[in-house]
Amino acid sequence: MTSPDSTTDLPEGFTALGLRPAVIATLASLGYEEPTPIQREAVPLLLEGRDVLGQAATGTGKTAAFALPMLERIFGDVPEAGRARAVRALILVPTRELAMQVSEAVHRYGKSYGARVLPVYGGQAIGMQLKALRAGVDVIVATPGRIVDHLRRGSIRLDSVRFVVLDEADEMLDMGFAEDLEAVLDALPAERQTALFSATMAGRVASIAERHLRDPVRIAIDRHRADPGQLPRVRQVAYIVQRRHKVVALGRVLDMENPTSAIVFCRTRTEVDELTETLSGRGYSAEALHGGLSQEQRDRVMRRFRDGVTELLIATDVAARGLDVESVSHVVNFDVPSAPDGYVHRIGRTGRAGREGVAITLAEPREHRQLRNFERVTRQKIQVQTVPTIVDLRARRLEVLRGSLHETLLGGDLEQHRVVVESLAEEFDVLDVAAAAVKLAHEATAGGARDDEAAEEVPSVSPPPDSRSRESRDGRKSRPGRPRRDRATADADVTRIYIGLGRKAGMRPADLVGAIANEAGIDARAIGAVDIADRFSLVEVPDEAVDEIIGALRHTTIRGKRVVVRRDKN
Ligand code: AMP
């Protein structure tokens, strides 16, 4: 499971893109093995100085696709000490969460350049931002509204900006930032490079691109449809979970699914190693496979997997390429693949030769768009499910136990054990004797350790309307065996809001939870049950935040539409 020093063998794919060794070393230390499709296309173009119009959703690796060339373009060979203090690059994003996330990523990618990055967003004390600005920043990652405030105050100067990124442009427009966006773009020097990323390129996005980008190159990651003959016949399932809950969620899903053999795909080597270690520690027989292993180590891992000694193979795409495995019962995407092609390729490893296969994807809330892309290329629905609760797991274990008992009863040969039952039957009811035996067997098979671990709460961000689980959202710890209170009925601090858009308009729980979390800055875990009817939806939210949420939702669009939002009258 130990990988050789991952910085020693540099990922070659990045060298071919024209990135310098120090940057490639940074990427290797992050465990990246090869560029994602959007990186392969965008990096060389942006390094050349071209404007780029990129169609890519979150989860495709687009942040690095623009950040890496951006850093090279704004710093080049200028040493840290010789740099004038001025904002050289501006990245505009729709939400404060994204501002923080992108800013962290740019900081990480820009380690070797010593880049100073500042997120600037509404809701944060302006004094703090001013102080940081005075200290000197190279890159600002901002929401359009707040940057306009700074421009008006004269607290940010943009005349040294040479590189501009509009990230998730469609969302910025959907959120009503059109005017602010124009104001910022107009305030920027004409002599600059611009990259615009958006999941859709329709209408207003195209018009912004036309006016503010110079002869842009358009790139899109495989929008084509897979050949129907190549489409895997598998049950496709997804769970939307926050990153920090993924390991626990995966454990529960694996317990429910009980795979005979599964490949779990991760994006990076680091993740493969960490996940393998965690899962092994929790009693799964798991082994790692990534580009950092020697051929000999690789062969050994593969042999054990093929022989069924190892149940779970935790792998990166690179390592799994050309893997000689017949068919596995489950393919798990611990991270969403960076392109639909990759998804089709990964899940094609299950459901072969007419056998039933299951493809499971753990996606972060912001990545739900990628799921839609996967549905489009596979022309099949991906069922979004709620992470199993402790109660579900117990029920599942009992079900398995029942099956085993059934088999044992059919198998006969119980004479030796009947004696015990007969002697107890003199004192107790036979049914009670059997129930006590089931209890013992259940406790023995449940694996106490896993039950404890499973007690950790996993807020499922996107429960499907028909099997939603209220208890999985309230953030409180549950204890196995103890009935949970239902938040909506037990707590008086929840208000239901009505949103005038429902299933008919394609509304999904993720849309609502995403909109509320992003727009009102509410922790997704604080959001209660989501009910989606044909023409409207109801969402339980904390009392104290209800006005803020209603206000925020009224100023935005959900699934591209302005919607009626109010307290639910019933
Ligand atoms: P993004 O679409 O930019 O939000 O990136 C999604 C995730 O992919 C982030 O967690 C990145 O750390 C990760 N990532 C980006 N590029 C690569 C790569 N070439 N290899 C592995 N992981 C990557």
Side-chain angles (χ1 to χ4, degrees), residues 14 32 34-36 39 57-64 109 267-268:
F14 289 107
Y32 293 8
E34 60 170 1
T36 66
Q39 290 164 3
T58 298
T60 54
K62 77 172 146 66
T63 315
Y109 297 139
R267 278 190 193 122
T268 66

Side-chain angles (χ1 to χ4, degrees), residues 250-549:
L250 176 65
R252 288 202 198 162
V253 171
L254 288 174
D255 278 358
M256 281 301 270
E257 293 279 342
N258 205 9
T260 45
S261 64
I263 306 184
V264 182
F265 285 98
C266 299
R267 278 190 193 122
T268 66
R269 277 180 200 188
T270 325
E271 242 167 32
V272 165
D273 280 334
E274 285 171 4
L275 189 59
T276 309
E277 206 164 295
T278 314
L279 290 175
S280 304
R282 291 182 183 193
Y284 298 96
S285 85
E287 287 208 64
L289 190 74
H290 57 57
L293 302 186
S294 68
Q295 188 58 41
E296 200 185 315
Q297 287 172 312
R298 233 179 108 93
D299 291 345
R300 204 167 41 230
V301 170
M302 283 315 303
R303 203 165 41 243
R304 281 200 291 260
F305 186 59
R306 268 196 298 266
D307 293 349
V309 178
T310 311
E311 301 168 291
L312 305 177
L313 191 66
I314 322 292
T316 56
D317 285 304
V318 173
R321 209 162 281 155
L323 203 86
D324 176 24
V325 188
E326 252 216 353
S327 180
V328 294
S329 67
H330 291 68
V331 165
V332 181
N333 297 307
F334 186 69
D335 293 307
V336 301
S338 55
D341 247 8
Y343 179 78
V344 173
H345 196 251
R346 282 184 185 183
I347 72 170
R349 300 194 166 278
T350 182
R352 286 189 186 166
R355 269 178 266 175
E356 202 209 329
V358 186
I360 296 165
T361 303
L362 302 187
E364 289 175 55
R366 295 201 59 83
E367 294 169 336
H368 69 269
R369 274 204 160 118
Q370 274 289 75
L371 293 181
R372 304 229 176 107
N373 290 336
F374 301 159
E375 286 182 334
R376 209 164 26 234
V377 290
T378 57
R379 285 185 238 170
Q380 281 171 38
K381 268 263 166 259
I382 298 180
Q383 253 181 305
V384 177
Q385 293 188 349
T386 314
V387 175
T389 62
I390 319 292
V391 180
D392 297 333
L393 286 184
R394 294 181 147 253
R396 169 77 179 147
R397 283 184 193 132
L398 282 174
E399 193 187 305
V400 172
L401 181 59
R402 188 185 172 283
S404 312
L405 282 173
H406 194 246
E407 254 177 51
T408 312
L409 284 164
L410 289 177
D413 192 20
L414 297 168
E415 279 314 309
Q416 253 184 317
H417 302 92
R418 274 187 83 102
V419 184
V420 180
V421 180
E422 273 163 10
S423 71
L424 285 167
E426 289 168 13
E427 198 180 337
F428 299 97
D429 181 80
V430 168
L431 270 183
D432 282 341
V433 174
V438 169
K439 184 176 176 213
L440 278 182
H442 176 67
E443 282 168 4
T445 54
R450 282 194 196 174
D451 241 11
D452 282 349
E453 157 251 305
E456 196 175 317
E457 201 47 69
V458 183
S460 215
V461 180
S462 175
D466 45 352
S467 65
R468 70 204 150 85
S469 152
R470 293 168 181 215
E471 62 184 16
S472 62
R473 288 270 210 76
D474 63 6
R476 273 177 273 147
K477 297 246 177 196
S478 67
R479 288 273 156 258
R482 194 183 295 174
R484 297 182 51 88
R485 291 190 307 156
D486 179 324
R487 176 179 182 124
T489 51
D491 293 353
D493 59 351
V494 172
T495 299
R496 211 150 49 161
I497 56 174
Y498 167 99
I499 292 138
L501 211 61
R503 210 179 344 258
K504 288 237 156 86
M507 181 76 99
R508 295 184 184 201
D511 298 321
L512 285 170
V513 175
I516 294 171
N518 282 330
E519 299 305 318
I522 303 290
D523 187 334
R525 281 174 302 179
I527 300 167
V530 178
D531 264 318
I532 300 194
D534 277 353
R535 301 194 179 279
F536 65 91
S537 307
L538 299 170
V539 184
E540 286 170 357
V541 299
D543 246 359
E544 69 272 10
V546 70
D547 291 329
E548 195 186 343
I549 293 172

